[in-house]
Amino acid sequence: QDDCSEFRSRFEAGGRLDCTRENAPVRDASGKQHTNKCLMCAEKLKKEAQRGGGSVQRNKLPAPERTNQVRCS
């Protein structure tokens, strides 16, 4: 079960998830405590994006399309 599924659609390709700062402590699977669920998921999704896993790369072009782009000045 994905405990961060509600935040995936709000996660930006640049590795950002806007969260509020309400104090509602939660612990992740490793036992680390976070201020709230959104901040926990922001950290989790950012790590996934850095590893290149999951659906968080939905806004990135496939490798062949990236290499064929031409820069316009």
Side-chain angles (χ1 to χ4, degrees):
Q1 178 183 351
D2 182 7
D3 55 348
C4 293
S5 60
E6 64 193 276
F7 298 102
R8 283 191 186 277
S9 64
R10 294 178 23 208
F11 186 73
E12 298 173 8
R16 189 178 156 104
L17 176 64
D18 289 325
C19 297
T20 60
R21 294 285 182 173
E22 78 265 7
N23 190 17
V26 295
R27 292 191 184 274
D28 61 22
S30 70
K32 181 178 177 183
Q33 185 166 325
H34 301 269
T35 306
N36 60 47
K37 187 174 180 179
C38 182
L39 291 171
M40 176 186 75
C41 290
E43 186 175 312
K44 177 181 177 179
L45 296 173
K46 186 173 184 177
K47 285 179 184 177
E48 285 180 8
Q50 290 170 344
R51 286 192 309 260
S55 61
V56 293
Q57 290 195 359
R58 67 189 181 280
N59 293 332
K60 292 186 178 179
L61 293 172
E65 292 179 39
R66 279 197 309 261
T67 57
N68 292 335
Q69 288 182 342
V70 176
R71 222 176 262 240
C72 298
S73 301

